[in-house]
Each structure stands twice: as structure tokens, then as C-alpha cells.
Amino acid sequence: MLITVVVVVGACAVGWVRQFGVPLMDRDYSAETFVVENHLESKLAVEVTGGVPITHSVSATSSALIPLRGSCGRFMRLVARDPAGREIASLDDALCEPCTWVIEADGSTQLLREHRWPYPG
């Protein structure tokens, strides 16, 4: 029984390191992530479709990193929704390079062709 537990834990650890790297090590995530910058005073839910749909939470006046791993070249749609579920902004892109999608306090958006992290505020 103990051997089984050790093998399972070891396999999980190897899988983690292969997927995310060694924990607590400095790592440049800019080539693997897309930044969503939320300048609104409310939390946003960012739905990402184009493969397996997933939703990321972006706190008010904050940023979130969205993984890009394996998505380059695939058309992706991002939709930002407020807490009531209303669409605030949308973006259609292949996301092949590190970018920052800025959702301004007035509701306007811009796509910066740079990786701006952490939140500049």
C-alpha cells in the first residue's frame, strides 16, 4: 500500500513539474500567458473559447494571467462579463504572442502587443 502511495505522489509531482515547472523558482511566464487588465471597480469573469471553454476571474483594478500553452494559431474568443453576467467586452484573436488586453474604467478596451505584468496601478 505504501509503495502505491509513493508511486502515485511521485507521478503527480513529475506531472506538475513538466506542466508548470519547479515550484517557487523564478520563471518568465510572458511567453506562455496572456494578461487581462481590469481597470473597472468590479470583478470580471473572462470566458475563453476556441478549445475547451474555461472562465477566469479578474479582480477589480487588477490583472490576471491566462495560459496560452498550445493555443497559438487557433482562433480564440474572449468575453469579459460583469458580476451580473452582462458582456463588457470581447476579443477575437489567435493569441500567438504575449499581449495585454486592457479593459479601461470607462469600458473601452485596447490590445497591447506587450506583456504588461503586474498591474500598473
Side-chain angles (χ1 to χ4, degrees), residues 38-40 80 87-90 101-110:
N38 178 11
H39 291 256
L40 299 171
E87 183 176 316
I88 300 299
S90 65
W101 186 30
V102 181
I103 301 171
E104 300 288 356
D106 65 3
S108 64
T109 65
Q110 61 178 319

Side-chain angles (χ1 to χ4, degrees), residues 10-23 27 69:
C12 289
V14 168
W16 176 272
V17 170
R18 292 180 103 181
Q19 180 72 23
F20 303 108
V22 178
R27 186 169 174 188
R69 195 175 294 245

